[in-house]
Amino acid sequence: MVQFILRRIAIAIPTLLIISFLIFLLQVMLPGDPALALAGEDPSPQAIAAIREKFQLDQPIPMRYLTWVANVLQGDFGMSIRTGLPVRDMLIQRLPVTFQLALMAMILAVLIAIPGGIIAALRPNSPLDYTVSSFTLAGVSVPNFFLGIMLILLFSVTLGWLPSGGYVPFASDPLGSIRSLIMPSIVLAFATSAVLMSHTRSAMLGTLNQDYIRTARAKGVSEPLIVIKHALRNALIPIITLGTIQFGELLGGAVLTEQVFGIPGFGKMLVDGVFSRDYSIVQAVVLVQAIIFLIVTVTADILYAVANPKLRHQ
Amino acid sequence: MAGTFVGRPQEGVLMVETQASGASSSSPLNEKAALAVRGLTISIPTARGPLHLVEKLDFSIAPGKTLCIVGESGSGKSITALALMRLLHNALDITAGTVDLNGTELLGLSNKEMRKVRGAGMSMIFQEPMTSLNPAYTVGNQIVEAITTHRSLSAEAARTEAVRLLREVNIPAPEQRLDAYPHQLSGGMRQRVMIALALANNPSVLIADEPTTALDVTVQAQILELMRNLRSRYGASVIFITHDLGVVREIADDVLVLYAGRVMEYARAQDIFENPQHPYTLGLFAALPNGRSREPLTVIPGLVPMVGQFPKGCRFSTRCALATEKCRMEQPLLEDFGKGHRVACWYAPIESTRP
Ligand SMILES: Nc1ncnc2c1ncn2[C@@H]1O[C@H](COP(=O)(O)OP(=O)(O)OP(=O)(O)O)[C@@H](O)[C@H]1O
Ligand code: SF4
Ligand SMILES: [Mg+2]
């Protein structure tokens, strides 16, 4: 098992190197001279040369890549071209916001999807099952921004129960912080739970038809135990993988949702970076997203193996 | 002749006489039967009314005896077994009959009461050892569950009991095996675990639905031997479903020949083997070289008719060499030709015409 985990991590490293190189190339291949962009209005040739040297733009590309990697490994993601502030500080600000949002959305999604999927699988083709199917369809087809606007109209504008946007930091006011992220988490959980629920339903339908379920019934085991201990335990194996990947996607930042609710998260950082042509920000966000995604896929594989005795004992 | 352990006299195994014109109400009930089934009918609802997959099944088993149910694929053996456990697929219903286990009518029990019977009064071993154990839990977990579902034992006592059961079914190093997952065991070992599960609460009736079919021949023999030993040790009545007439010859006290959901012949094993009466039974024996066969019963020409396309008269009439117009039009009743030897054929006894 330990060997499996180490091997899985080892496989991820070359992938990471390739991705980081591509992200780096992106910067190199951008049109226009970054030194000119950095130097500001009407620069003197000396100023440009100074910037070239400062940012090592005069070095060959492989050297620049190595320097860049070394910097990133030390947590140095460069400076924002617009604000002149370290990108790292922005990352440190934004990541926890997106993490909190992703976590809330995921918890909500699991709480909806797992019971919903089980109930649908227990009574296939019943009205309850059709309700669940309609929910799934709505979840995958209603656009996030639309749902977000509707929720704002209902809960903020009409009822006045929740703030229409903005973010309260968790450290300063935990309850207020959760309140500020309730609507965006609902929006994100809606689509996430829809996919998770339909997978839970079909996984449960599959396991409930297995021979070992019949064995458990023949032993006299009660129905709730059959559903939870025998069927769900096995159905969860693929569900855990899916859920982990979904969580990774949420961690990557929800561009539209963060935009609609004005949440200073990771997705908004990316959008702002793109709109202001702040390439060092875009580069850092894309790189961190890639790293998160790799970590998540490795975690998903490991969890799959942990949940599956057949793999655990190899 | 019927093997080493059928030596005891069997008076009273098949007792109630069927009248010549008897309907299913006169079933072979045994006063001291562990299990008595009367008029069991299993149906599948269709737009044109229920179709009977198994019809008016009557049999009973005395304590400690073994009944073998034989018949070709699709004749209704498995659904009969599942119906006794009340584990039929949702699509199928028991539409008539009674199942009496030691004086308790099972079909009238609530689901909760029935759960107390399953795995305790009556348990079942399945045809598919590879898939019948839950892959997510250890063998020990699954045996302990079988024990504690019906008995309140401490975790430690249940574990000790589980080790004992594994030892009973001849699993080597039982303490270690307790922590094994099913995928770490061979098919034969898994079937032994299934037997241990089934015996966990000392059931009075054990149903084994082709327990050796999926295993290779040497393992088949071992499992069979194990079941024979355990049967005499535990004193359970056994319903043994099989394709293998060689096995029937070794272990059966009584034999029930099922065809297209109907009983064709039902008698003591000795009578069936020495004096088979029904043309279908004779056909099965023709598929039995030197009295032993490991092959499925497929030698009778033709196919079992599809459910819903059963002939109006005798179910076997589409394939029977002796069939007449009467056979095709009218269904013969299961009649007793003496000593409880029952045959459903218009031309029984058929000594003279026997091939
Ligand atoms: N869930 C179901 N829905 C519809 N028909 C069914 C169902 N289960 C069984 N049947 C039908 O009932 C009949 C008897 O099936 P059963 O499984 O009892 O046969 P069997 O005698 O055990 O055969 P085998 O020797 O192959 O195990 C078959 O015609 C089968 O198609
Ligand atoms: S009743 Fe007729 S068709 Fe049926 S088994 Fe007897 S002889 Fe054959
Ligand atoms: Mg079967």
Side-chain angles (χ1 to χ4, degrees):
Chain A
M1 190 65 205
V2 175
Q3 227 176 356
F4 169 82
I5 294 174
L6 291 180
R7 201 169 51 223
R8 193 59 195 77
I9 293 173
I11 294 172
I13 289 173
T15 323
L16 186 60
L17 286 178
I18 293 170
I19 292 174
S20 67
F21 189 65
L22 289 177
I23 292 172
F24 171 76
L25 276 188
L26 214 66
Q27 175 201 31
V28 176
M29 282 155 54
L30 281 172
D33 187 341
L36 277 180
L38 286 168
E41 298 278 305
D42 229 354
S44 66
Q46 289 88 340
I48 294 178
I51 286 172
R52 283 234 156 83
E53 207 186 319
K54 183 178 170 209
F55 290 94
Q56 294 179 322
L57 296 176
D58 45 358
Q59 300 280 319
I61 288 178
M63 275 308 292
R64 283 167 63 188
Y65 172 66
L66 287 181
T67 318
W68 180 71
V69 169
N71 286 341
V72 165
L73 284 178
Q74 289 163 23
D76 177 4
F77 289 84
M79 302 289 169
S80 159
I81 297 175
R82 293 290 144 178
T83 62
L85 297 171
V87 174
R88 181 186 51 186
D89 293 355
M90 284 186 81
L91 286 175
I92 289 173
Q93 259 175 21
R94 303 298 184 100
L95 265 178
V97 181
T98 290
F99 183 78
Q100 188 190 341
L101 179 59
L103 193 67
M104 282 177 64
M106 200 62 216
I107 291 173
L108 205 59
V110 167
L111 288 181
I112 300 168
I114 304 288
I118 294 174
I119 289 169
L122 287 179
R123 300 266 175 282
N125 303 323
S126 69
L128 256 174
D129 186 22
Y130 291 133
T131 313
V132 165
S133 305
S134 327
F135 178 85
T136 305
L137 192 65
V140 295
S141 48
V142 173
N144 276 359
F145 72 88
F146 178 76
L147 180 62
I149 290 168
M150 286 298 143
L151 288 179
I152 291 175
L153 279 180
L154 179 63
F155 290 107
S156 308
V157 178
T158 311
L159 297 169
W161 290 352
L162 291 167
S164 68
Y167 172 70
V168 180
F170 193 78
S172 63
D173 174 8
L175 267 180
S177 174
I178 289 174
R179 248 169 71 87
S180 69
L181 290 186
I182 283 184
M183 281 197 291
S185 345
I186 291 177
V187 169
L188 292 176
F190 192 47
T192 307
S193 66
V195 176
L196 201 58
M197 192 184 291
S198 78
H199 278 82
T200 305
R201 177 185 181 273
S202 53
M204 279 299 286
L205 277 178
T207 52
L208 280 169
N209 270 321
Q210 295 293 315
D211 289 339
Y212 56 77
I213 297 295
R214 190 183 55 190
T215 304
R217 291 217 168 92
K219 291 197 293 193
V221 176
S222 69
E223 256 343 88
L225 265 181
I226 293 212
V227 170
I228 303 212
K229 178 180 171 187
H230 290 275
L232 182 62
R233 174 63 180 77
N234 285 285
L236 275 184
I237 295 172
I239 297 300
I240 288 173
T241 310
L242 174 66
T244 315
I245 301 281
Q246 284 184 320
F247 185 58
E249 281 168 6
L250 291 173
L251 276 181
V255 173
L256 277 178
T257 309
E258 288 184 3
Q259 200 69 26
V260 167
F261 289 95
I263 295 162
F266 213 44
K268 197 159 184 315
M269 182 172 167
L270 179 66
V271 176
D272 293 347
V274 169
F275 282 140
S276 60
R277 309 245 168 91
D278 204 335
Y279 299 121
S280 46
I281 286 186
V282 175
Q283 195 180 38
V285 171
V286 174
L287 181 67
V288 172
Q289 280 178 336
I291 293 171
I292 289 177
F293 195 76
L294 269 179
I295 293 175
V296 162
T297 23
V298 172
T299 313
D301 283 357
I302 292 171
L303 285 180
Y304 183 83
V306 168
N308 193 340
K310 278 186 202 163
L311 292 178
R312 208 187 317 149
H313 291 272
Q314 262 167 19
Chain B
M1 51 103 262
T4 45
F5 51 90
V6 192
R8 284 171 281 176
Q10 302 168 44
E11 263 68 45
V13 175
L14 309 167
M15 288 203 350
V16 173
E17 304 288 285
T18 308
Q19 290 127 29
S21 58
S24 65
S25 60
S26 54
S27 56
L29 275 186
N30 188 320
E31 289 294 305
K32 42 183 187 51
L35 182 75
V37 175
R38 295 180 50 160
L40 184 69
T41 301
I42 303 167
S43 315
I44 179 162
T46 69
R48 275 170 277 126
L51 277 178
H52 302 316
L53 299 176
V54 166
E55 210 172 356
K56 295 179 182 162
L57 193 60
D58 290 355
F59 63 85
S60 65
I61 313 169
K65 298 291 180 185
T66 298
L67 168 75
C68 278
I69 302 183
V70 296
E72 280 164 297
S73 202
S75 51
K77 305 182 296 294
S78 292
I79 57 172
T80 300
L82 290 170
L84 302 181
M85 295 286 286
R86 281 183 47 192
L87 287 175
L88 276 177
H89 188 273
N90 283 341
L92 307 181
D93 298 319
I94 299 172
T95 43
T98 58
V99 175
D100 184 302
L101 177 71
N102 298 315
T104 307
E105 159 47 16
L106 298 187
L107 301 187
L109 295 183
S110 69
N111 287 334
K112 195 175 168 207
E113 289 165 329
M114 190 60 210
R115 273 203 297 278
K116 291 191 184 133
V117 173
R118 287 188 203 120
M122 179 156 69
S123 47
M124 183 160 175
I125 303 166
F126 299 96
Q127 188 172 346
E128 304 85 5
M130 300 309 281
T131 52
S132 289
L133 289 167
N134 193 326
Y137 296 100
T138 61
V139 162
N141 181 310
Q142 297 182 59
I143 300 180
V144 165
E145 182 181 48
I147 296 166
T148 52
T149 297
H150 298 284
R151 291 188 268 161
S152 40
L153 286 184
S154 71
E156 205 176 322
R159 209 178 145 85
T160 313
E161 178 72 354
V163 171
R164 183 188 69 80
L165 284 162
L166 286 184
R167 198 169 283 128
E168 285 276 309
V169 296
N170 296 335
I171 288 186
E175 284 89 356
Q176 283 95 294
R177 283 289 178 281
L178 224 46
D179 297 320
Y181 283 88
H183 73 270
Q184 296 169 313
L185 304 179
S186 68
M189 281 297 157
R190 291 189 213 187
Q191 198 60 302
R192 287 172 195 270
V193 172
M194 285 298 294
I195 296 171
L197 283 182
L199 292 175
N201 300 296
N202 222 337
S204 61
V205 173
L206 177 64
I207 304 173
D209 186 359
E210 305 194 37
T212 61
T213 307
L215 304 171
D216 67 51
V217 178
T218 45
V219 182
Q220 281 188 7
Q222 291 166 7
I223 296 285
L224 202 65
E225 181 63 28
L226 173 70
M227 289 205 55
R228 288 162 56 169
N229 289 337
L230 290 174
R231 186 189 61 164
S232 45
R233 298 255 319 262
Y234 279 71
S237 305
V238 176
I239 297 179
F240 199 102
I241 295 172
T242 179
H243 276 160
D244 188 337
L245 285 170
V247 170
V248 177
R249 196 187 275 278
E250 281 177 45
I251 66 167
D253 294 304
D254 303 340
V255 178
L256 186 124
V257 181
L258 205 57
Y259 180 80
R262 277 271 185 175
V263 179
M264 297 289 116
E265 188 160 3
Y266 176 31
R268 287 175 213 168
Q270 189 170 2
D271 293 338
I272 287 265
F273 280 99
E274 288 176 359
N275 183 26
Q277 284 295 323
H278 198 282
Y280 180 61
T281 314
L282 289 163
L284 294 183
F285 286 168
L288 187 71
N290 309 321
R292 285 195 73 89
S293 165
R294 297 281 173 196
E295 296 303 309
L297 314 170
T298 51
V299 179
I300 305 169
L303 294 170
V304 185
M306 300 275 287
V307 176
Q309 290 165 15
F310 291 154
K312 185 165 172 260
C314 173
R315 294 266 162 102
F316 191 51
S317 60
T318 51
R319 292 166 76 190
C320 179
L322 309 176
T324 63
E325 199 50 34
K326 180 177 184 182
C327 302
R328 280 183 271 273
M329 298 315 294
E330 282 175 69
Q331 191 148 183
L333 293 164
L334 193 63
E335 280 185 55
D336 194 335
F337 289 86
K339 297 190 301 172
H341 188 155
R342 284 147 223 280
V343 184
C345 172
W346 289 123
Y347 299 102
I350 51 172
E351 251 83 359
S352 51
T353 49
R354 206 190 293 182

